[in-house]
Amino acid sequence: MARTALVTGGTRGIGAAISQALKAEGYSVAATYAGNDQAAAVFTEETGIKAYKWNVADYADSKAGISQVETDLGPIDIVVANAGITRDAPFHKMTPEQWTEVVDTNLTGVFNTVHPIWPGMRQRKFGRVIVISSINGQKGQFAQVNYAATKAGDLGIVKSLAHEGARAGITANAICPGYIATEMVMAVPEKVRDSIISQIPTGRLGEPEEIARCVVFLASEDSGFINGSTISANGAQFFA
Ligand code: CAA
């Protein structure tokens, strides 16, 4: 029977490409979203991938949602913690709310997503935890003290889970996308975006599919010895 994969934030942007790539590989895929019902409905109609609505920042919501996915599709063997938000502001203007929102979603959201799934993976002696971090967690970024802190924290989660899961057949790895052509990057003011693109040696933004192929690689049965690592996909913009 096909293994089940859960992709948080899996109906738009990089997450949508990941959901579709995993489906194309034969996995049973569930994609979550937090708010945009219309985008989720279109995504499901176009791809046949079922979308589930919950807030990854809420542990009880995540646990209940995950339980529903497992009832519908079977035990989750692959979890892709992809859901993330930005609330960019220079530090002197950043509000405590902007800090908390980003931490709750991008960092605590990873805990809330993986924690309810982890005991089942340990029992079944198989699991693939894949966390979508960011180039900005590796290098820092002007106006992203909150975001960069969470994305660096995600790398700490992955490395620690790799230690804990190794004996149980579970791997935990991170992917650090550079600037990818998604709504999140398109929301950056055009002038700033042009200056970012000029710093990418490849000379262009990445495509969501170029991140999805990293996920497919890490999700494979054959990737069991790749554990605790970080794959950077950033067009040579930064070397960790
Ligand atoms: N480096 C250095 N200085 C910068 C800068 C940068 N990258 N970006 C802006 N500045 C400077 C400006 O030149 C300006 O300086 P002056 O006042 O001397 O002219 C100043 O900072 C801007 O200050 P403001 O008070 O006007 O800024 P603001 O409150 O209007 O905020 C901003 C603007 C939020 C910083 C906006 O420029 C922005 O969104 N920048 C992009 C930040 C970014 O790269 N985010 C990444 C999003 S994509 C993502 O996160 C996905 C991923 O994982 C890669």
Side-chain angles (χ1 to χ4, degrees), residues 86 88 90 93 134 136 141-144 147 179 184 188-189 192:
T86 55
D88 294 354
K93 291 184 181 173
S134 165
N136 292 343
Q141 171 59 41
F142 188 98
Q144 285 200 314
Y147 184 87
Y179 283 77
M184 187 184 272
V188 172
V192 179

Side-chain angles (χ1 to χ4, degrees), residues 14 85-90 92-93 133-137 139 141-144 147 151 177-180 182 184-189 191-193 195-196 199 237:
I14 292 174
I85 59 169
T86 55
R87 297 289 182 266
D88 294 354
H92 63 280
K93 291 184 181 173
S133 174
S134 165
I135 185 175
N136 292 343
K139 71 170 185 56
Q141 171 59 41
F142 188 98
Q144 285 200 314
Y147 184 87
K151 294 300 183 176
Y179 283 77
I180 309 299
T182 61
M184 187 184 272
V185 170
M186 292 308 171
V188 172
K191 223 175 97 194
V192 179
R193 200 169 62 241
S195 121
I196 290 168
Q199 293 158 36
Q237 188 182 350

Side-chain angles (χ1 to χ4, degrees), residues 5-98:
L6 174 72
V7 184
T8 64
T11 64
R12 292 194 298 138
I14 292 174
I18 293 170
S19 299
Q20 289 175 85
L22 289 171
K23 186 182 180 211
E25 286 294 310
Y27 297 99
S28 280
V29 180
T32 81
Y33 70 103
N36 193 332
D37 293 316
Q38 204 202 342
V42 170
F43 172 80
T44 297
E45 197 177 309
E46 287 177 358
T47 63
I49 296 169
K50 192 162 176 203
Y52 294 80
K53 185 176 184 177
W54 74 75
N55 178 5
V56 297
D58 185 298
Y59 187 83
D61 263 20
S62 299
K63 196 166 185 229
I66 285 163
S67 169
Q68 186 60 52
V69 170
E70 295 200 318
T71 302
D72 294 348
L73 301 180
I76 296 166
D77 285 328
I78 294 115
V79 56
V80 186
N82 165 76
I85 59 169
T86 55
R87 297 289 182 266
D88 294 354
F91 189 54
H92 63 280
K93 291 184 181 173
M94 189 172 284
T95 63
E97 290 73 25
Q98 287 174 318

Side-chain angles (χ1 to χ4, degrees), residues 25-234:
E25 286 294 310
Y27 297 99
S28 280
V29 180
T32 81
Y33 70 103
N36 193 332
D37 293 316
Q38 204 202 342
V42 170
F43 172 80
T44 297
E45 197 177 309
E46 287 177 358
T47 63
I49 296 169
K50 192 162 176 203
Y52 294 80
K53 185 176 184 177
W54 74 75
N55 178 5
V56 297
D58 185 298
Y59 187 83
D61 263 20
S62 299
K63 196 166 185 229
I66 285 163
S67 169
Q68 186 60 52
V69 170
E70 295 200 318
T71 302
D72 294 348
L73 301 180
I76 296 166
D77 285 328
I78 294 115
V79 56
V80 186
N82 165 76
I85 59 169
T86 55
R87 297 289 182 266
D88 294 354
F91 189 54
H92 63 280
K93 291 184 181 173
M94 189 172 284
T95 63
E97 290 73 25
Q98 287 174 318
W99 168 263
T100 304
E101 268 188 87
V102 171
V103 169
D104 287 354
T105 301
N106 298 7
L107 186 64
T108 308
V110 175
F111 176 87
N112 294 345
T113 299
V114 180
H115 192 259
I117 296 171
W118 189 255
M121 287 181 164
R122 277 166 51 88
Q123 246 168 27
R124 295 187 300 279
K125 300 262 178 269
F126 181 86
R128 296 282 181 264
V129 176
I130 301 163
V131 179
I132 308 301
S133 174
S134 165
I135 185 175
N136 292 343
Q138 296 172 302
K139 71 170 185 56
Q141 171 59 41
F142 188 98
Q144 285 200 314
V145 164
N146 49 5
Y147 184 87
T150 62
K151 294 300 183 176
D154 288 341
L155 299 180
I157 292 177
V158 158
K159 289 170 189 171
S160 304
L161 287 180
H163 281 290
E164 292 196 24
R167 289 282 177 90
I170 306 170
T171 66
N173 292 286
I175 299 168
C176 285
Y179 283 77
I180 309 299
T182 61
E183 282 171 42
M184 187 184 272
V185 170
M186 292 308 171
V188 172
E190 194 177 357
K191 223 175 97 194
V192 179
R193 200 169 62 241
D194 286 346
S195 121
I196 290 168
I197 294 172
S198 74
Q199 293 158 36
I200 305 174
T202 307
R204 63 169 175 85
L205 297 173
E207 293 300 327
E209 293 72 20
E210 292 176 299
I211 305 306
R213 66 183 287 117
C214 303
V215 172
V216 167
F217 169 69
L218 291 172
S220 163
E221 303 263 348
D222 300 334
S223 294
F225 204 60
I226 304 165
N227 200 359
S229 60
T230 301
I231 299 182
S232 296
N234 63 33

